[in-house]
């Protein structure tokens, strides 16, 4: 597919310069939620390239460093000569002021968390916003002087320049974070910038994305066939549904049953894609092959490595049987691309290597198709709904690539997987029937590598323990444990102990991320 930077209409593109903020992707999502297309780019993107892209506006993200540090990230100074509206957030504000003659110094009193903002100029960015409102601060430095080129728009009790604008240029800055939900009027501030300052019209729509992507896929694929590896998750399923709409029966899906799936997962995939969509689906029963490879292995990283290599071997064997296939499709999302440093104008640093299907395209001689590479997770869900995927699939909680192997702590055996699979199914069933499944971000059961004493009837037992994990999260970078009703947890525990042979104890994980992770392995 063509570079999304060239495909999106120029008049509706806003570039977000990434200076290392943990919230850069959240800014991009908030902008898109306001129906304006956003693209995260390197902080040092040359002004010449920016001019080529003809953005409607620029947003400078926050960052962990001080602008006066010798190795602090900087933008191309020529960017300030462009006649493009700019909004600096936290570090972004400080960078703008520093670059244009002001000074930034360590604050006498650092601000982290909620603060009361006092607005002195209610037009522009703060149009329609109360003169006092709550914002979210996270800074140790602050603007000390503005060289007379900026005027303060708002302050807090300890930060005299909590918002500012340039006197002659369309440059604005905020010391607080409008993208986080804790800032009450954050969305309104961003809307005022996008629509009031930048003049955006809000043309970014999922329906437009579908039409454009379908046309591009048809043109690129031509008369060839496309192989798509289905996992049963949202990303690969939406990828398959989009390709089905674009190229019809020239799509071939491969589903590898590795024996590490949730209860009835294979049946659900067959019902959706063979039944409702009429897709040619090749299912490979490799359960024993994976179990044999995992025998005696307890180290989680070794499990992942074994599963990855085995999957590639199985997939390659099946893919070579499909005649006329030239392309391999995978459900890469925009965060994967950014974290991998995989775009021409994306952030330079590689955070992690994307590994949806490993090195399969190169090994098999296929060309790679990634139709979701410009979307965030919430946008993929909207896309799936518009494509007619069942709600149960669209809103399915994330499931790890190695499957139940990394939720079966210790050795992975058929018997231990049976206990885990049944307990997990009970937990999810009760969450759905109680209405809590859609209220939470991710929920699952974990089989612990310990046994404990219990009493069933008049007999002593020495059996396994299940841990339940349920979290709330917007972006999965941080997460808090879900405060499920005690009655619900009690019902789940009772059912698991009564219905799953080999389990006599259930515990609930109440740790947050950080310091814990969401998955146990």
């Amino acid at each position: 597919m063509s570079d999304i930077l060239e495909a999106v209409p120029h008049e509706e593109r806003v570039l977000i310069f990434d200076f290392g903020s943990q919230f850069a992707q959240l800014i991009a999502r908030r902008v898109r939620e306001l129906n304006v297309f956003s693209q995260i780019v390197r902080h040092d993107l040359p002004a010449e390239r920016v001019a080529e892209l003809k953005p409607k506006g620029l947003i400078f993200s926050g960052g962990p460093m001080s602008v006066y540090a010798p190795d602090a990230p900087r933008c191309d100074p020529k960017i300030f000569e462009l006649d493009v509206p700019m909004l600096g957030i936290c570090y972004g504000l400080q960078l703008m002021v520093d670059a244009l003659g002001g000074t930034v110094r360590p604050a006498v009193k650092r601000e982290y968390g909620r603060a009361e903002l006092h607005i002195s100029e209610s037009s522009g960015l703060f149009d329609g916003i109360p003169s006092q409102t709550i914002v979210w601060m996270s800074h140790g430095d602050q603007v000390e002087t503005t060289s007379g080129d900026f005027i303060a728009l708002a302050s807090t009790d300890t930060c005299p320049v909590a918002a500012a604008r340039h006197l002659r240029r369309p440059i604005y800055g905020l010391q607080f974070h409008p993208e986080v939900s804790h800032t009450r009027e954050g969305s309104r501030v961003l809307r005022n910038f996008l629509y009031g300052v930048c003049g955006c019209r809000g043309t970014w729509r999922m329906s437009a994305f579908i039409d454009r992507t379908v046309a591009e896929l048809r043109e690129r694929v031509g008369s060839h066939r496309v192989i798509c590896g289905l996992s049963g998750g949202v990303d690969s399923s939406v990828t398959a549904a989009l390709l089905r709409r674009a190229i019809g029966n020239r799509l071939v899906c491969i589903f590898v049953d590795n024996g590490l799936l949730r209860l009835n997962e294979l049946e659900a995939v067959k019902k959706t894609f063979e039944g409702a969509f009429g897709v040619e689906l090749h299912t490979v029963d490799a359960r024993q092959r994976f179990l044999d490879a995992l025998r005696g292995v307890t180290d989680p990283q070794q499990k992942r490595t074994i599963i990855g290599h085995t999957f590639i071997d199985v997939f390659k064997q099946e893919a070579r049987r499909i005649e006329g296939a030239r392309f391999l499709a995978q459900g890469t999302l925009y965060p994967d691309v950014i974290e991998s440093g995989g775009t021409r104008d994306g952030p330079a640093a590689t955070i992690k290597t994307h590994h949806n299907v490993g090195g399969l395209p190169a090994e098999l001689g296929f060309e790679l198709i990634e139709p979701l590479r410009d979307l965030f997770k919430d946008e993929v869900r909207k896309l799936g709904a518009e494509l007619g995927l069942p709600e149960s699939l669209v809103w399915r909680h994330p499931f790890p690539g190695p499957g139940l192997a990394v939720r079966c702590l210790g050795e992975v055996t058929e018997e231990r997987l049976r206990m885990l699979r049944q307990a997990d199914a009970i937990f999810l069933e009760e969450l759905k029937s109680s209405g809590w499944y859609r209220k939470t971000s991710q929920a699952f059961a974990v089989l612990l590598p310990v046994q404990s004493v219990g009493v069933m009837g008049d007999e002593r037992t020495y059996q396994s323990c299940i841990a339940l994990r349920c979290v709330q999260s917007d972006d999965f970078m941080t997460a808090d444990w879900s405060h499920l009703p005690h009655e619900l947890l009690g019902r789940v525990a009772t059912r698991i102990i009564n219905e799953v042979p080999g389990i006599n104890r259930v515990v609930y994980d109440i740790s947050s991320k950080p310091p814990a992770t969401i998955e146990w392995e």
Side-chain angles (χ1 to χ4, degrees):
M1 292 177 65
S2 59
D3 190 335
I4 190 67
L5 285 174
E6 310 302 338
V8 175
H10 290 162
E11 69 272 13
E12 289 299 325
R13 179 187 299 132
V14 169
L15 301 180
I16 298 169
F17 285 67
D18 184 8
F19 290 92
S21 171
Q22 61 178 319
F23 296 129
Q25 291 187 24
L26 185 56
I27 297 171
R29 287 179 58 186
R30 293 293 181 254
V31 172
R32 292 192 189 188
E33 287 169 1
L34 293 167
N35 298 320
V36 176
F37 184 80
S38 61
Q39 181 78 21
I40 300 175
V41 298
R42 301 191 318 263
H43 68 274
D44 58 351
L45 190 67
E48 182 180 356
R49 175 61 174 155
V50 175
E52 289 176 2
L53 296 171
K54 300 179 181 178
K56 200 67 174 173
L58 310 178
I59 297 178
F60 286 13
S61 81
M65 299 191 69
S66 296
V67 294
Y68 47 79
D71 55 348
R74 299 276 177 175
C75 66
D76 183 345
K78 294 181 180 179
I79 281 180
F80 296 109
E81 300 174 9
L82 301 176
D83 187 24
V84 180
M86 303 179 193
L87 175 65
I89 296 175
C90 197
Y91 180 91
L93 162 67
Q94 297 167 12
L95 175 71
M96 290 175 170
V97 170
D98 182 74
L100 297 174
T103 57
V104 176
R105 294 285 185 269
V108 175
K109 184 178 180 181
R110 298 182 298 176
E111 279 187 308
Y112 294 98
R114 289 178 175 84
E116 186 171 59
L117 185 74
H118 307 283
I119 299 172
S120 55
E121 184 177 298
S122 58
S123 59
L125 285 187
F126 298 111
D127 183 37
I129 295 175
S131 60
Q132 293 188 355
T133 185
I134 299 299
V135 297
W136 189 262
M137 290 286 195
S138 181
H139 67 101
D141 297 331
Q142 64 185 31
V143 174
E144 184 177 72
T145 64
T146 60
S147 72
D149 288 330
F150 285 85
I151 181 174
L153 305 178
S155 63
T156 68
D157 291 341
T158 59
C159 182
V161 185
R165 67 173 173 84
H166 197 276
L167 290 173
R168 296 179 301 278
R169 306 178 187 180
I171 297 177
Y172 296 79
L174 305 170
Q175 187 58 67
F176 60 90
H177 289 270
E179 70 274 17
V180 301
S181 59
H182 304 296
T183 296
R184 288 180 183 171
E185 301 289 345
S187 180
R188 183 62 181 264
V189 172
L190 289 174
R191 173 178 282 277
N192 286 340
F193 174 71
L194 296 171
Y195 287 80
V197 178
C198 300
C200 293
R201 294 175 293 127
T203 58
W204 170 247
R205 294 289 190 280
M206 191 54 65
S207 57
F209 173 85
I210 293 175
D211 293 341
R212 175 174 57 82
T213 304
V214 164
E216 289 179 347
L217 287 170
R218 286 173 179 165
E219 180 179 0
R220 182 180 177 190
V221 172
S223 60
H224 298 282
R225 305 181 86 187
V226 177
I227 295 175
C228 179
L230 274 178
S231 68
V234 178
D235 304 339
S236 67
S237 297
V238 172
T239 298
L242 187 59
L243 281 162
R244 173 63 178 171
R245 177 171 292 192
I247 63 172
N249 59 13
R250 280 175 290 121
L251 170 67
V252 182
C253 291
I254 297 177
F255 185 93
V256 176
D257 184 354
N258 57 12
L260 307 171
L261 308 175
R262 283 177 163 173
L263 191 66
N264 300 324
E265 194 158 349
L266 175 58
E267 292 75 10
V269 169
K270 284 184 175 181
K271 182 179 179 181
T272 298
F273 288 95
E274 281 187 335
F277 286 90
V279 170
E280 181 180 337
L281 178 63
H282 294 220
T283 59
V284 183
D285 185 354
R287 291 174 293 180
Q288 196 58 52
R289 184 168 176 175
F290 278 85
L291 284 174
D292 289 345
L294 290 167
R295 185 174 291 115
V297 177
T298 59
D299 178 74
Q301 191 57 37
Q302 192 176 355
K303 289 180 186 178
R304 292 176 181 272
T305 301
I306 290 171
I307 292 167
H309 288 321
T310 306
F311 174 82
I312 288 177
D313 290 342
V314 172
F315 195 96
K316 282 166 55 178
Q317 186 176 357
E318 186 64 27
R320 286 177 174 143
R321 297 174 180 170
I322 300 171
E323 297 181 0
R326 177 177 172 181
F327 300 92
L328 178 67
Q330 64 182 37
T332 308
L333 304 191
Y334 189 53
D336 299 319
V337 176
I338 292 300
E339 290 171 349
S340 300
T343 60
R344 172 185 174 187
D345 298 309
T350 298
I351 300 170
K352 69 177 182 181
T353 301
H354 179 64
H355 56 277
N356 264 12
V357 202
L360 279 173
E363 289 188 30
L364 293 173
F366 290 146
E367 293 183 37
L368 185 61
I369 287 180
E370 297 173 308
L372 309 183
R373 65 182 282 115
D374 308 308
L375 302 182
F376 289 99
K377 192 76 170 187
D378 55 334
E379 293 172 323
V380 171
R381 294 191 193 279
K382 293 177 184 177
L383 176 58
E386 290 214 22
L387 291 170
L389 287 173
E391 186 175 291
S392 59
L393 198 158
V394 169
W395 289 100
R396 185 189 187 215
H397 287 181
F399 189 61
L404 296 180
V406 291
R407 294 176 179 175
C408 183
L409 276 57
E411 185 178 5
V412 179
T413 67
E414 193 168 357
E415 173 60 17
R416 299 191 78 226
L417 286 170
R418 176 197 61 78
M419 290 189 287
L420 175 57
R421 191 175 286 118
Q422 291 180 354
D424 185 74
I426 290 171
F427 187 27
L428 298 185
E429 180 183 318
E430 289 293 340
L431 286 174
K432 291 173 183 176
S433 63
S434 65
W436 272 90
Y437 187 81
R438 286 282 295 272
K439 297 177 185 177
T440 58
S441 304
Q442 190 170 4
F444 53 90
V446 179
L447 181 63
L448 304 184
V450 297
Q451 291 183 306
S452 63
V453 175
V455 178
M456 290 185 177
D458 294 324
E459 296 184 358
R460 176 186 182 275
T461 62
Y462 191 63
Q463 296 179 336
S464 297
C465 177
I466 284 285
L468 303 178
R469 181 75 159 140
C470 191
V471 299
Q472 317 280 144
S473 178
D474 289 329
D475 52 18
F476 292 91
M477 295 174 63
T478 62
D480 194 14
W481 60 278
S482 300
H483 294 243
L484 299 179
H486 292 176
E487 296 80 5
L488 173 59
L489 288 171
R491 189 162 60 249
V492 173
T494 299
R495 282 196 58 191
I496 289 175
I497 292 171
N498 288 343
E499 298 177 28
V500 184
I503 303 294
N504 69 352
R505 191 177 298 271
V506 176
V507 298
Y508 189 51
D509 182 350
I510 59 170
S511 50
S512 298
K513 175 186 179 182
T517 55
I518 297 176
E519 296 285 349
W520 279 48
E521 286 191 341

